[in-house]
Amino acid sequence: MKRAVAAAGPLAPAALLTAIAFVLPLAWLLRLSLDRSSGGGMLVDAVTAANYLRFLGDGFYLGVLWRSTWMAALASALTLLLSYPLALFLARTRSRWRGFLAVLTIAPLLVSSVVRTFGWMVILGDQGWVNGLLRLVSLTAAPLRLMNNMLGVLIGLTEVMMPVMTLALIAGFARLDPTLEEAARSLGAPPRKVLLRVTLPLSMPGVLLGSLVTFVLSISSFVTPKLLGGGRVAVLATSIYEEALETLNWPFAAAISVVLVAVFGVALMLYERAMRRWMI
Amino acid sequence: MAGAAPPAMAADAPYLKLAGLAKRYDGGQAAVAGLDLAVARGEFVTLLGPSGCGKTTTLRMIAGLVEPSAGRIEVAGIDVTKVPAHRRNMGVVFQSYALFPHLSVARNVAFGLEMRDLPRGSIERRVTEALALVRLAELAERKPKALSGGQQQRVALARALVIEPSVLLLDEPLSNLDAKLREELRDEIRDIQRRLGITAIFVTHDQMEALTMSDRIVLMNAGRIEQVGSPAELYERPASPFVAGFIGRMNRLTAAVTASGGGRSRLDASGLSLMASRELPLGVRVTVMVRPHRIRLSARGGGAGEGNAVRARVRKLVFAGEAVQLEIDAAGLVLRVEQPTGGGGWVPGIGEEVAATWSLDDTLVFAER
Amino acid sequence: MRRRRILGPKLVLAALIALSPCLAAPSPAAEPSGDIVLMAYPGAFQDNYVKAVVEPFMKAHPGVKVTYNPGGNSAQMLGLLRAQKANPQVDVAIIDFSVSRVGNKEGIFSKLDRKDVPNLADIYDEARMPGDMGPGITFDNLVMLYGPDQVKPAPTGIKDLLDPKNKGKIGFSPAPNVIGIALQIVVAKAIGVGYKAPIDPVIAELKKIAQNVQTWQATPDNYTMIINGALALGIGWNARAQFYADKSGGKVKSIVMQEGGILDMDTINLVAGSRNPAAALAFIDYALGPEPQKRMAEAMYYGPTNKKAVLPPELMARTSSAPATLAKMIPVDWDYVASVQDQWTERWRREVIPAQ
């Protein structure tokens, strides 16, 4: 007993920090989600499940939940697909440019996602580069709608998430012994099979970590769906923003936030389960 | 063991042939500089040398894991230099075992067979056989992590053998194991290789492994071959001071030729007068080497026959179980001497004056370059 | 040694506590003094408001120091004020009237007394809040924005939003933003029903407009997007439209729609529990005076709410306070709108925004 207390001693500051940084705000959010809001955003003290019942009993909000989930899942999958070869190259190349290339890959992290999203608006807009090019070669009469819809959001999210995913994958590859791939080759595996049977399964911890992080960041991302969705892509994060800052219905915003935290929880659980399967 | 005769190979066309094989990493010195070697079918050849001598690079070039800068690799008369690793049919056993951690022992062994698209039944049968060969049948369903180092290396061996490779390539397979296990597995590998009659290339820096396992040893240094020969040849008739020094322990003296004739030379090593069993040009500087356990100590000296004899004083004496290791001072030159324990040799005390003698055959002389 | 270290700070603290009543004691004269914190919008509003109002006020009342705290948008400021309700750190807040109404009801703001704020007497009725709560200090009104190069002839009202030739060139903020709510009121008038009537036909009309909308989230805003040609038509506010019209050399223009406009205003509010109400009230009274309001109109085209503010006629005509503009404003029962706003918003989310 005493020893347990003594052992906890050095952890106390960390525990306190966790409590202040995570537990308290979450507790406050939970409490707020049980309050009521009367017309025009007035906050009323109460203990009611009304906000949750409204969310769960309304096809519109369930649709928002569903859309958020598949948007984040699809963005993660696209990000993984594009980042995997890039990360594999960066992890394996012996080029003297390797450091430079790695920095180049991760550099977008230094630029705010707002600015990067603006960049995509320049590229994807009706007067943007892509449509300009299509017009130039007379492929399209009317501009293609590449943004202000879900397509634009997915393109933007994928790009925003790629550095994060690439970092997670590179970390995963670093723990993969290249000798294992040589062993596979010596046993008769052509490059494709080496990738499928050895590299991919052994990089699963990195894949899973990267996917978890991009999923969580995507589903909670606000800027990209807001700016590239043209207001048409209603997801949990944009709904929270609207309820908190436009309709001023804080209790409902809190309830949606709690739902979002619950989605994180489920994602984390799936991650843990998959990790147990793949951790060797 | 060390004296085991190599299989007759001169008559056969070589099974594995390396011709002018070289590897130069960009900008750097050559890791392997023009290697020629012919290996007979069923032969066990060891590439021995200090780290950085190019032995592992040579093995990896044979496996197809490193692309040679120059030269040719032939297997059974076919040039495989440009054949990618996965089509070379080489069985490789790595120092780090390189077992796939996500697959069971059986699936590890089955990997190469699955790549060859063999029918499931045939794969299962051959995996079972291969695991029985390395005495691991009962661990088939375990993951590699649950196995000891020795067991893991035996799985790696089974995995390499089950594909019936043209050549078995072993890259320091024993160096991650503890001494006792190393000896056990050494015999096991050699035994299996003999039974299957498979051609094997074995890379090691450990002279003991090389001496005990090999039909022939290729001693390498700085990317080149120093000497190729049977273990006994390398031990008894080293071609260079490097070979002599690398294999077994050696006393090393420098001397000058003072007289020559009648198939003998007289040498002067800092005042010690020694005899060599061949004629050398007068005045030439030579390196004289003699193994510590080939030196006999006695109280008075003399003894029968031709040889070398010096008077010396015992400086140091260490009991090391199988032998007593001594340092004796002969006119300012320090010689290391080993005397067997248990009545096999006379052991003086520290400070005692002794006579040290050794035969002309044991007096290795190399002209300095 | 050790004793002193522990005693030292305590002594200082005790001395401070003992002295503090003297420091905070009001000076015998009526002249207010001390520090107050003003919370209002960041950005261009802050730059202009500090120059036009805050600095002249401090010159007139050298004993008072006003700290401008940029609090974000109105809802964010309300959030901050809610969080500080027990121990307010802000004395005066300038926020949109649709949000200050909520604050008034929650008891975050205090009622103003005409004795303390003599300028209240000169404020337009339209700028008065129920119960003498913080009144409007600037008028603004809903306008239609257009790019004169793209929309010819110039638009006149709701019918231009429905015109197929403007498809994919329209952008404005939907409900729950005030612009969407206000547009719904204008559309109701355009189709000849009151905004208090059942809204099905209004929603049907809005869905037709929605099919022409390029984005509901113009970035950075629809004024800029019209200037750079990405949009041709939008709904916005007069003051910013005038500001951008000057700045862009007329690449964005605005009209009051023929169906009418909606009056919007920023209100100035005394935070309940202010620690220096005397100085706060002095500032509020000053801000409502004709001169500071005139300076804000000159800087940003905000319409004065003080009847006595005299602007040059051509400037007056460009603000919401122009009699011709005020006359076109549709009277709105904001208490009613607050009560149905959530229902309206839900219809927008489900039917209007997704309409293709």
Side-chain angles (χ1 to χ4, degrees):
Chain A
M1 180 60 183
K2 243 185 192 158
R3 198 179 301 166
V5 172
L11 288 176
L16 193 69
L17 196 68
T18 309
I20 292 169
F22 299 106
V23 179
L24 284 181
L26 208 60
W28 179 80
L29 206 63
L30 266 171
R31 176 64 194 89
L32 185 64
S33 73
L34 302 176
D35 281 341
R36 258 183 333 110
S37 165
S38 80
M42 205 175 125
L43 203 52
V44 182
D45 249 333
V47 178
T48 168
N51 295 306
Y52 293 102
L53 294 176
R54 177 178 168 200
F55 187 95
L56 297 172
D58 187 332
F60 177 78
Y61 290 106
L62 289 176
V64 168
L65 173 60
W66 172 239
R67 187 178 308 115
S68 307
T69 310
W70 76 253
M71 176 195 78
L74 194 56
S76 302
L78 287 172
T79 309
L80 178 62
L81 221 57
L82 293 174
S83 304
Y84 197 90
L86 179 67
L88 192 58
F89 172 76
L90 285 172
R92 289 297 152 77
T93 183
R94 294 258 163 77
S95 159
R96 78 181 95 156
W97 297 103
R98 182 190 165 157
F100 175 73
L101 290 172
V103 168
L104 206 64
T105 309
I106 294 150
L109 283 179
L110 304 176
V111 182
S112 110
S113 67
V114 178
V115 175
R116 287 152 76 191
T117 302
F118 268 100
W120 278 110
M121 297 174 70
V122 172
I123 295 169
L124 300 176
D126 281 4
Q127 270 85 30
W129 298 352
V130 176
N131 273 313
L133 195 71
L134 289 175
R135 251 196 316 278
L136 205 69
V137 298
S138 312
L139 269 176
T140 49
L144 278 184
R145 186 57 77 77
L146 298 174
M147 54 174 265
N148 295 331
N149 54 19
M150 183 57 102
L151 177 64
V153 176
L154 283 173
I155 294 174
L157 274 181
T158 302
E159 189 269 339
V160 168
M161 297 301 158
M162 269 183 72
V164 178
M165 177 69 93
T166 307
L167 275 183
L169 290 175
I170 288 177
F173 288 132
R175 302 195 320 177
L176 194 166
D177 179 4
T179 315
L180 294 174
E181 291 172 339
E182 294 181 344
R185 282 162 66 197
S186 76
L187 289 166
R192 189 175 52 85
K193 289 228 169 136
V194 174
L195 181 69
L196 245 53
R197 298 282 303 267
V198 178
T199 314
L200 194 59
L202 291 178
S203 59
M204 278 313 273
V207 169
L208 289 172
L209 180 64
S211 303
L212 175 74
V213 173
T214 48
F215 179 86
V216 166
L217 288 178
S218 297
I219 202 168
S220 54
S221 122
F222 160 75
V223 169
T224 309
K226 187 98 178 150
L227 298 191
L228 286 173
R232 285 186 181 87
V233 179
V235 288
L236 292 171
T238 58
S239 301
I240 292 168
Y241 176 88
E242 270 187 18
E243 294 299 337
L245 292 181
E246 293 191 25
T247 37
L248 300 182
N249 190 340
W250 285 18
F252 192 47
I256 305 176
S257 306
V258 172
V259 169
L260 186 54
V261 172
V263 174
F264 292 168
V266 172
L268 201 62
M269 224 169 65
L270 291 175
Y271 168 78
E272 294 278 354
R273 184 175 293 182
M275 272 307 256
R276 266 204 296 282
R277 158 82 180 74
W278 285 107
M279 248 346 222
I280 311 126
Chain B
M1 186 58 120
M9 59 158 294
D12 288 339
Y15 179 67
L16 171 68
K17 194 176 151 195
L18 311 180
L21 196 62
K23 179 66 191 179
R24 179 180 292 278
Y25 289 105
D26 32 55
Q29 208 187 328
V32 177
L35 206 80
D36 295 297
L37 182 68
V39 179
R41 188 186 291 272
E43 202 181 0
F44 193 111
V45 171
T46 296
L47 306 181
L48 174 68
S51 63
C53 73
K55 55 192 192 297
T56 293
T57 304
T58 305
L59 184 97
R60 290 168 61 80
M61 285 194 280
I62 300 171
L65 299 172
V66 168
E67 200 184 333
S69 313
R72 235 153 21 94
I73 302 165
E74 279 176 26
V75 177
I78 298 161
D79 185 347
V80 299
T81 318
K82 299 283 175 208
V83 176
H86 65 275
R87 286 206 222 100
R88 271 197 203 188
N89 200 37
M90 300 281 176
V92 186
V93 177
F94 296 89
Q95 179 177 357
S96 60
Y97 322 136
L99 295 180
F100 305 127
H102 58 301
L103 302 179
S104 68
V105 165
R107 293 289 311 281
N108 260 282
V109 177
F111 190 93
L113 301 174
E114 286 168 9
M115 290 303 126
R116 285 159 176 77
D117 285 326
L118 296 188
R120 186 145 293 281
S122 150
I123 291 178
E124 266 172 45
R125 188 176 43 75
R126 285 172 66 174
V127 167
T128 311
E129 283 172 13
L131 284 175
L133 185 71
V134 296
R135 299 179 292 116
L136 285 175
E138 70 283 5
L139 299 180
E141 292 317 313
R142 296 265 186 94
K143 284 279 173 71
K145 216 174 103 184
L147 267 52
S148 72
Q151 288 170 330
Q152 289 190 41
Q153 199 53 297
R154 271 151 54 203
V155 175
L157 186 62
R159 185 178 68 174
L161 288 170
V162 78
I163 60 170
E164 297 177 355
S166 324
V167 182
L168 180 64
L169 303 171
L170 304 120
D171 184 8
E172 307 229 16
L174 305 176
S175 47
N176 281 0
L177 304 174
D178 62 55
K180 197 166 150 45
L181 207 57
R182 202 180 303 176
E183 222 163 288
E184 211 179 285
L185 203 53
R186 193 168 79 190
D187 294 344
E188 191 164 351
I189 290 174
R190 183 58 165 135
D191 186 51
I192 290 171
Q193 183 266 338
R194 284 235 176 89
R195 248 193 296 157
L196 300 178
I198 191 169
T199 312
I201 307 289
F202 184 93
V203 161
T204 185
H205 64 271
D206 183 321
Q207 45 154 322
M208 211 48 203
E209 284 173 11
L211 291 172
T212 54
M213 296 174 82
S214 319
D215 293 323
R216 279 194 301 153
I217 296 173
V218 177
L219 185 61
M220 295 179 66
N221 183 29
R224 294 175 192 283
I225 294 179
E226 287 277 341
Q227 188 174 3
V228 181
S230 71
E233 278 168 352
L234 264 70
Y235 192 81
E236 299 294 353
R237 290 188 295 283
S240 65
F242 177 83
V243 177
F246 195 82
I247 298 184
R249 281 185 290 272
M250 274 294 180
N251 286 299
R252 184 183 185 125
L253 310 169
T254 34
V257 179
T258 55
S260 191
R264 298 285 184 268
S265 303
R266 179 150 297 280
L267 313 171
D268 175 64
S270 312
L272 276 188
S273 179
L274 299 174
M275 189 82 92
S277 64
R278 60 189 169 114
E279 289 185 30
L280 291 156
L282 274 179
V284 162
R285 306 282 308 168
V286 294
T287 300
V288 181
M289 299 177 103
V290 57
R291 298 194 184 278
H293 70 276
R294 295 285 167 86
I295 298 174
R296 293 271 161 274
L297 296 182
S298 56
R300 224 152 293 142
E306 213 184 5
N308 284 305
V310 297
R311 305 288 308 169
R313 193 174 290 278
V314 177
R315 273 177 31 145
K316 201 168 152 189
L317 189 149
V318 175
F319 179 80
E322 290 167 7
V324 176
Q325 297 170 344
L326 305 99
E327 270 180 29
I328 57 172
D329 185 329
L333 288 173
V334 176
L335 294 173
R336 280 174 298 148
V337 179
E338 269 182 30
Q339 297 292 286
T341 51
W346 173 72
V347 179
I350 288 184
E352 233 175 292
E353 181 126 334
V354 295
T357 57
W358 62 93
S359 73
L360 279 189
D361 280 349
D362 290 326
T363 312
L364 305 171
V365 180
F366 305 96
E368 277 183 12
R369 281 169 220 169
Chain C
M1 202 41 208
R2 206 170 149 191
R3 253 180 109 95
R4 239 194 11 232
R5 223 184 304 164
I6 295 169
L7 271 174
K10 274 192 183 165
L11 277 173
V12 174
L13 204 67
L16 274 176
I17 291 168
L19 277 170
S20 58
C22 316
L23 291 174
S27 58
E31 175 61 27
S33 66
D35 293 355
I36 56 169
V37 175
L38 164 68
M39 185 162 70
Y41 305 104
F45 187 92
Q46 177 175 2
D47 299 341
N48 287 299
Y49 205 75
V50 167
K51 257 184 257 150
V53 185
V54 175
E55 282 169 0
F57 170 78
M58 288 200 283
K59 204 169 272 174
H61 299 272
V64 183
K65 182 170 180 291
V66 181
T67 306
Y68 192 109
N69 173 3
N73 66 29
S74 295
Q76 286 166 335
M77 289 194 264
L78 179 69
L80 287 169
L81 293 169
R82 272 179 181 165
Q84 301 173 358
K85 201 170 170 184
N87 180 23
Q89 307 294 312
V90 173
D91 302 283
V92 179
I94 297 176
I95 59 179
D96 189 84
F97 83 114
S98 64
V99 175
S100 73
R101 295 168 56 80
V102 176
N104 291 344
K105 284 187 189 162
E106 287 185 23
I108 285 173
F109 301 126
S110 292
K111 160 181 198 308
L112 301 181
D113 196 316
R114 293 189 183 212
K115 287 203 306 284
D116 303 322
V117 189
N119 277 325
L120 266 179
D122 298 327
I123 297 299
Y124 286 106
D125 286 345
E126 287 91 336
R128 286 281 175 68
M129 294 295 276
D132 271 342
M133 300 303 286
I137 44 161
T138 58
F139 276 136
D140 207 348
N141 63 287
L142 192 75
V143 291
M144 177 173 278
L145 315 167
Y146 68 102
D149 297 341
Q150 301 176 73
V151 186
K152 287 173 186 163
T156 57
I158 298 298
K159 73 165 175 47
D160 293 281
L161 295 175
L162 292 158
D163 194 331
K165 79 173 200 277
N166 291 324
K167 189 172 172 63
K169 294 180 184 168
I170 298 174
F172 61 89
S173 305
N177 191 293
V178 190
I179 287 180
I181 299 287
L183 182 68
Q184 181 172 339
I185 294 170
V186 180
V187 169
K189 189 167 180 214
I191 62 171
V193 300
Y195 64 88
K196 290 187 179 178
I199 62 172
D200 287 347
V202 185
I203 294 293
E205 197 75 353
L206 288 169
K207 279 161 75 175
K208 286 187 221 157
I209 293 174
Q211 292 171 25
N212 285 344
V213 168
Q214 162 76 241
T215 177
W216 302 102
Q217 179 63 50
T219 310
D221 54 39
N222 48 7
Y223 310 87
T224 310
M225 284 181 78
I226 290 173
I227 290 169
N228 65 30
L231 291 176
L233 217 52
I235 304 293
W237 298 112
N238 176 64
R240 295 189 77 186
Q242 299 296 341
F243 175 78
Y244 274 112
D246 287 355
K247 212 175 123 185
S248 68
K251 288 199 163 181
V252 60
K253 287 189 168 174
S254 60
I255 52 148
V256 177
M257 289 176 274
Q258 64 186 15
E259 291 83 1
I262 303 289
L263 202 60
D264 182 51
M265 60 190 179
D266 285 321
T267 58
I268 189 161
N269 303 279
L270 174 65
V271 176
S274 159
R275 284 174 303 182
N276 192 352
L281 286 167
F283 180 79
I284 290 173
D285 189 53
Y286 182 85
L288 289 170
E291 272 309 305
Q293 297 223 334
K294 181 185 167 206
R295 286 195 291 270
M296 272 311 271
E298 286 163 350
M300 299 190 85
Y301 298 101
Y302 279 119
T305 56
N306 189 315
K307 295 177 214 166
K308 290 190 175 155
V310 182
L311 303 184
E314 66 279 6
L315 174 60
M316 189 65 167
R318 292 178 71 180
T319 70
S320 309
S321 306
T325 305
L326 276 183
K328 282 191 205 160
M329 296 298 114
I330 303 169
V332 178
D333 173 357
W334 289 106
D335 276 327
Y336 171 78
V337 172
S339 71
V340 294
Q341 191 176 335
D342 284 353
Q343 297 160 37
W344 288 12
T345 299
E346 291 300 335
R347 298 289 297 268
W348 277 75
R349 281 180 187 157
R350 282 150 220 255
E351 299 173 48
V352 180
I353 294 173
Q356 295 286 336

